[in-house]
Amino acid sequence: MSTVLTQTYKNILVGVDGSDQGNLAYQQAIEVAKRNNGRVIVAHVIENKVYMMMGYSSLNDGLLDQETESAKEILEDCKAYAKSADFTQVETVITYGVAKEVMCKELPEKYDVDLIMVGQSGLNAVERLMMGSVSSYIIRHAPCDVLIVHPETKK
């Protein structure tokens, strides 16, 4: 007896940070959403706790302003890519907090997410430390399906 999988994904969450891995995950999310007549929620999470832990509290506002401007540029690029792919069902979100918690709990609940797409973490130790921990956490704790986008899947 064979089972036919008929799962469709209507609300796809993808996090972007300007990295190649994040951009590829976003591009693939657009394709999945197109096939499923869904929407993409593309989020950039600014980890404001990092600045406090590093002792930059007096500079916190300036650093957060810089990060926010950078996030806006990244998300504008995402909108432009969606337009070039003839896709309009994209919602952009800038949020502040701990990326793995925001991506795994807050945003899925707020947007009724049924698929989270993440890029494969980089190969060097620093990328694994920063990105891998977020991806690994999402895989283990997500309230929905998770799709890992590997670099070689781009066509």
Side-chain angles (χ1 to χ4, degrees):
M1 183 187 306
S2 67
T3 304
V4 177
L5 298 176
T6 58
Q7 175 68 42
T8 58
Y9 299 106
K10 296 298 180 189
N11 298 304
I12 301 164
L13 174 64
V14 61
V16 293
D17 58 2
S19 69
D20 290 344
Q21 293 90 354
N23 292 339
L24 183 58
Y26 171 69
Q27 291 167 6
Q28 293 292 334
I30 296 287
E31 296 307 313
V32 171
K34 280 179 161 182
R35 290 191 299 270
N36 287 271
N37 194 26
R39 71 174 173 154
V40 173
I41 299 96
V42 58
H44 183 92
V45 181
I46 296 173
E47 298 222 20
N48 51 351
K49 282 188 175 181
V50 171
Y51 298 121
M52 297 302 282
M53 289 174 16
M54 293 171 62
Y56 292 121
S57 57
S58 62
L59 302 175
N60 201 25
D61 290 341
L63 289 169
L64 285 177
D65 288 347
Q66 279 184 309
E67 283 286 326
T68 302
E69 284 307 308
S70 176
K72 286 178 184 175
E73 288 177 23
I74 290 167
L75 293 176
E76 283 301 317
D77 289 345
C78 288
K79 286 182 192 175
Y81 177 83
K83 186 175 181 180
S84 75
D86 293 323
F87 186 75
T88 59
Q89 298 301 311
V90 174
E91 185 163 346
T92 59
V93 178
I94 296 175
T95 187
Y96 302 86
V98 178
K100 59 187 180 182
E101 292 175 10
V102 170
M103 291 295 296
C104 207
K105 295 175 183 162
E106 294 172 30
L107 295 178
E109 186 176 302
K110 182 175 181 179
Y111 292 98
D112 194 26
V113 169
D114 47 23
L115 177 66
I116 301 173
M117 294 181 65
V118 294
Q120 181 184 29
S121 61
L123 297 178
N124 74 48
V126 173
E127 287 176 330
R128 271 198 305 274
L129 179 64
M130 298 303 290
M131 292 295 296
S133 61
V134 174
S135 298
S136 296
Y137 184 89
I138 291 170
I139 292 165
R140 288 191 314 274
H141 297 95
C144 59
D145 288 348
V146 177
L147 183 96
I148 307 298
V149 178
H150 293 273
E152 61 270 14
T153 62
K154 187 172 181 179
K155 296 184 168 133

